[in-house]
Amino acid sequence: MLGGGPGGYEAALVAASMGSKVTIIERAGLGGAAVLTDVVPSKTLIATAEAMNRSVESTEMGVSFKASKGNPKKVIKADLLHINERVMRLAREQSTDIRRGLEALGVKIIIGTGRLLDNRTIEVDRGETHEIVKADAILISVGAHPRELATAQPDGERILNWTQIYDLDELPEELIVVGSGVTGAEFASAFNGLGSKVTLISSRDQVLPGEDSDAAAVLEDVFARRGLRVLSRSRAEAVKRTDDGVIVTLGDGSTVTGSHCLVCVGSIPNTTDIGLEAAGVEVTPSGHIKVDGVSRTSAPNVYAAGDCTGVFALASVAAMQGRIAVAHLGGDGVSPLKLNKVSSNIFTSPEIASVGVSEADIASGRCQGDVVKLSLKTNARAKMRNVDDGFIKIIARKGTGTVIGGVVVGTGACELIFPIALAVAQNLHVDDVANTFTVYPSLSGSISEAARRLHVHM
């Protein structure tokens, strides 16, 4: 395994459990960027921001924060130094846990930089020494790194990419986020919750372009209510550091000033100079490794998984690609990766989760379906928890009633999407969902209710 991220270590776990002799070559640490600099750190930071949001907005529930005699200026405040220390500690702990689990199964771990010499050989640079690793098969899971703009070079202090944000000791007073995709929206939401004054620069008509438009509208409404400014249809041309902050120049010549700027404009696969050509592995013009539905590359014995393949930049997809690769290599029965059944979550506040066919697919005529959207404002549990924002949306195939897609917006959407994803994956009928007992009161009750409402379309 060249790379110890979700694709590599999940594949290693499966291969080792099947009795294979497995070696992982990883240059940073087990878990890769997903655990050390990306998914785990960002979602830990977001969890802290969400806790602050719940506290600040709990006055409607009768909770108040009154000044006490001993502390007359008691307020909720984010200690970013403490937060970031916890973020990175948890990331290291998760990496250690993964390593222990792998070593317990007999997986050999080599920390170093690997380069393919051919489709069965990897040379590992360990600093002072080099090591040659021979293998019957190779899985490449080398991930990706933040894309940088020539006119907005990160300095790690005022101009930052998402791996550098955890080096800050103090909360940015005025944070400008460039890019309104998933990463940009998540960090904008998080730092707004922590107390920064945030401006999100979006080159598109809405945040989260390509996502469900109803979900994006809810998020933008929440952003506006919480004081987060979104500059739509605005493209950042350059970011420069000033004596005490940054200045961002937009495409129309106007400028935006702040104390810090976080640049989130996509990622680049880590496929340069790792010997792909020597091994006969083909890549796309963007540098992503070409793979088929069972993770095979163009080279015999070589598979690939994760962000370096350009197939949905999700840790869950990387892990599935890795598991599929090992199953295929071992001769087990395996189904190709089905992207129309992948569930994903955007960890903004509120969260946005989706799976399967979208409403845009229905509107464009690509699929035939019926859609029901149910606001969480009518849900008893949501009212108890002071949840005003969000909805459940279920999409069923017209004529048959099979669940083919869904969207959840709200607190805990990452958990609530699972029953809909299960229905999509198993081709369940809306009546199967509607007739399954849910707890009352619960947010999941709205999933059952939405399914019942779809029954009338059958």
Side-chain angles (χ1 to χ4, degrees), residues 1 11-23 105-107 326 329-330:
M1 312 297 176
L13 289 171
V14 175
S17 67
M18 293 169 59
S20 299
K21 183 178 179 181
V22 183
T23 298
L105 289 174
V107 175
V326 170
L329 178 65

Side-chain angles (χ1 to χ4, degrees), residues 93-287:
E93 289 175 358
Q94 182 68 14
S95 178
T96 299
D97 288 344
I98 293 169
R99 179 164 189 157
R100 286 173 179 163
L102 290 165
E103 290 178 333
L105 289 174
V107 175
K108 180 180 179 181
I109 297 168
I110 302 175
I111 300 300
T113 301
R115 177 182 173 83
L116 282 78
L117 299 182
D118 55 43
N119 64 337
R120 292 181 183 270
T121 311
I122 299 176
E123 181 183 25
V124 186
D125 182 353
R126 306 185 69 177
E128 296 181 355
T129 62
H130 285 70
E131 183 173 345
I132 299 296
V133 178
K134 293 281 188 178
D136 295 323
I138 295 171
L139 174 72
I140 304 169
S141 182
V142 291
H145 61 276
R147 178 172 171 259
E148 297 178 357
L149 301 176
T151 55
Q153 288 295 300
D155 59 18
E157 296 177 351
R158 294 285 182 175
I159 305 174
L160 310 156
N161 64 40
W162 68 73
T163 69
Q164 299 168 329
I165 200 75
Y166 311 107
D167 295 330
L168 296 179
D169 293 341
E170 296 183 356
L171 190 70
E173 183 177 348
E174 295 180 307
L175 178 65
I176 302 170
V177 179
V178 176
S180 63
V182 173
T183 303
E186 286 186 343
F187 277 113
S189 179
F191 277 92
N192 172 255
L194 292 173
S196 294
K197 181 180 179 181
V198 178
T199 298
L200 178 61
I201 298 176
S202 172
S203 62
R204 309 291 285 273
D205 291 336
Q206 67 171 40
V207 298
L208 300 174
E211 299 295 330
D212 183 88
S213 59
D214 290 337
V218 170
L219 185 61
E220 288 190 348
D221 287 345
V222 173
F223 280 176
R225 189 175 71 232
R226 292 177 177 169
L228 192 159
R229 181 172 61 150
V230 178
L231 298 182
S232 301
R233 296 180 295 279
S234 300
R235 184 176 296 277
E237 296 291 344
V239 183
K240 292 184 178 180
R241 181 170 177 169
T242 62
D243 291 339
D244 57 355
V246 295
I247 181 168
V248 180
T249 302
L250 303 181
D252 62 3
S254 63
T255 59
V256 182
T257 59
S259 61
H260 298 75
C261 181
L262 175 62
V263 181
C264 303
V265 290
S267 61
I268 297 174
N270 296 325
T271 55
T272 301
D273 197 31
I274 62 169
L276 295 181
E277 185 175 351
V281 176
E282 295 181 6
V283 298
T284 67
S286 61

